[in-house]
Amino acid sequence: MEILWWLAPSVVVTVLAMVWVGWLGRDGRGEVDRDVAAERMAKALRAEHQGLRQASPRLNRRPDRSSGVAARAPRANASGEERRTA
């Protein structure tokens, strides 16, 4: 049991941090009116969608560079079925 005493300071700090965060996050602190919150959310969602509409297509996109890994097409065996290996 004595060997576990080195854990005591970290346990105490963790419990104190949990109590502190629980105290700060309790109900009733910094309440925002539901209508105001809904309006803020609607404004943010509209701004996000407007940015997506204005995006230009990438017509001059260069092809991806090779990764150096060769991939072979599957070969058919004598019966005409593709052979799959893991």
Side-chain angles (χ1 to χ4, degrees):
M1 181 67 181
E2 291 179 12
I3 198 166
L4 295 178
W5 277 111
W6 65 273
L7 287 173
S10 61
V11 170
V12 170
V13 169
T14 302
V15 170
L16 288 175
M18 290 170 59
V19 169
W20 181 56
V21 170
W23 178 262
L24 289 178
R26 71 185 189 282
D27 288 337
R29 267 188 87 103
E31 279 189 30
V32 178
D33 186 24
R34 291 182 81 117
D35 295 331
V36 173
E39 183 61 33
R40 286 182 187 169
M41 181 185 261
K43 182 180 176 184
L45 289 174
R46 274 193 306 260
E48 180 180 324
H49 288 296
Q50 287 175 356
L52 291 176
R53 288 185 201 137
Q54 295 174 359
S56 61
R58 295 182 180 178
L59 298 177
N60 297 332
R61 186 175 178 188
R62 295 187 315 181
D64 292 337
R65 294 181 59 187
S66 174
S67 63
V69 177
R72 294 183 182 169
R75 294 186 296 181
N77 58 13
S79 65
E81 297 176 359
E82 287 186 6
R83 188 177 78 184
R84 295 185 182 186
T85 59

